[in-house]
Amino acid sequence: MEDLKNEKNSSRKTNKLKYPIIGLALFMLGVLTLFGIRFTTYKSDDVHFHANFALYINGTKDDFKNFSFYKEVAACDVHNIDDVEARVHMHDNNPGLIHVHAHGVSWGAFFSNLGYTLGNKAVTTDAGTYIDGQDGNSLKFLLNGEKVSSIQNKLIKTEDVLLIDYGKDSDQVLKEHFKKIPTDAREANNSSDPAACGGNEDSGMMKRFKSALGLQTQ
């Protein structure tokens, strides 16, 4: 009889320990499941893509040689959308590759960051202002090989190629200028781009891990 009583007491103690352990195990399973879902479904909201361009004035290509045209990597903050220069800029003395770090960035905004002014009927550089129709010259735009009448408010899209030409160049010359524009935007899109803004960002895996834990990834 005493043995039966002891067995029942032992069983009660075992049950008291078993239920919390089961509850803890279920809780941990739920946490791991949530972590796994967040980890596998994470999508970065960072923006970083590239485009190419060239500017010709009276047959001469603007090479943007001054260092002031290029964003210092150390001063970059790709997440500070209030910094207009962080949104779109150039790097590493590459006069033709544009780095875009925000949605809704126009060609006009990019040229403004260079200290230039790009309108649909005029362009202002560090050498002066050039107006469409002045002295028989015209301001023309070729976007991805097609003539467009306005460019100022068009949004820059990934791997766009833009030619801006002021002067008396024929359509054939415009096509030749366009063909000479380097098209390294795609290569830049597919590389880690360590020298540009974002080179010091967390790796994609680390961002995914932080997101899964509910931590900020910015």
Side-chain angles (χ1 to χ4, degrees):
M1 192 69 174
E2 187 66 27
D3 291 341
L4 182 59
K5 185 177 180 180
N6 289 336
E7 185 178 341
K8 288 182 179 180
N9 289 335
S10 177
S11 178
R12 290 192 189 99
K13 290 179 181 180
T14 300
N15 288 336
K16 286 181 180 180
L17 293 173
K18 179 173 67 175
Y19 294 134
I21 291 173
I22 293 175
L24 179 61
L26 291 174
F27 173 78
M28 292 302 296
L29 179 61
V31 169
L32 290 173
T33 300
L34 180 60
F35 176 87
I37 292 173
R38 287 182 172 180
F39 187 85
T40 56
T41 60
Y42 169 76
K43 291 183 179 180
S44 174
D45 59 357
D46 290 342
V47 177
H48 188 187
F49 63 85
H50 305 81
N52 291 112
F53 83 105
L55 169 63
Y56 283 81
I57 302 294
N58 294 320
T60 301
K61 183 180 178 182
D62 192 328
D63 289 327
F64 299 97
K65 292 182 178 179
N66 195 300
F67 71 91
S68 65
F69 291 122
Y70 302 93
K71 181 79 172 175
E72 290 285 346
V73 175
C76 268
D77 182 357
V78 300
H79 303 301
N80 183 6
I81 61 173
D82 294 326
D83 180 356
V84 293
E85 290 188 5
R87 292 166 59 86
V88 57
H89 44 253
M90 296 190 294
H91 285 295
D92 303 325
N93 297 315
N94 185 339
L97 179 66
I98 303 172
H99 300 254
V100 182
H101 289 277
H103 295 292
V105 176
S106 68
W107 287 100
F110 167 65
F111 274 85
S112 179
N113 286 351
L114 298 180
Y116 285 17
T117 300
L118 176 65
N120 296 325
K121 295 297 182 180
V123 58
T124 299
T125 73
D126 52 8
T129 297
Y130 305 91
I131 302 172
D132 183 62
Q134 189 175 55
D135 299 327
N137 296 298
S138 59
L139 182 62
K140 298 177 182 178
F141 312 107
L142 263 66
L143 180 61
N144 301 322
E146 300 293 331
K147 275 190 177 182
V148 294
S149 59
S150 63
I151 199 67
Q152 180 180 9
N153 295 320
K154 282 188 180 295
L155 301 185
I156 303 174
K157 297 180 181 179
T158 184
E159 299 179 23
D160 269 351
V161 182
L162 173 67
L163 170 67
I164 303 165
D165 186 281
Y166 179 84
K168 297 183 175 70
D169 291 329
S170 65
D171 287 348
Q172 182 60 38
V173 172
L174 291 179
K175 291 179 181 179
E176 291 174 3
H177 286 337
F178 184 83
K179 290 179 181 178
K180 292 179 182 178
I181 300 175
T183 53
D184 52 353
R186 177 169 296 183
E187 180 182 354
N189 281 344
N190 294 326
S191 71
S192 60
D193 206 3
C197 284
N200 294 323
E201 291 181 88
D202 291 339
S203 68
M205 188 63 69
M206 181 57 71
K207 283 192 171 186
R208 189 181 291 268
F209 185 79
K210 286 183 177 180
S211 175
L213 292 176
L215 301 176
Q216 290 187 358
T217 58
Q218 303 295 345

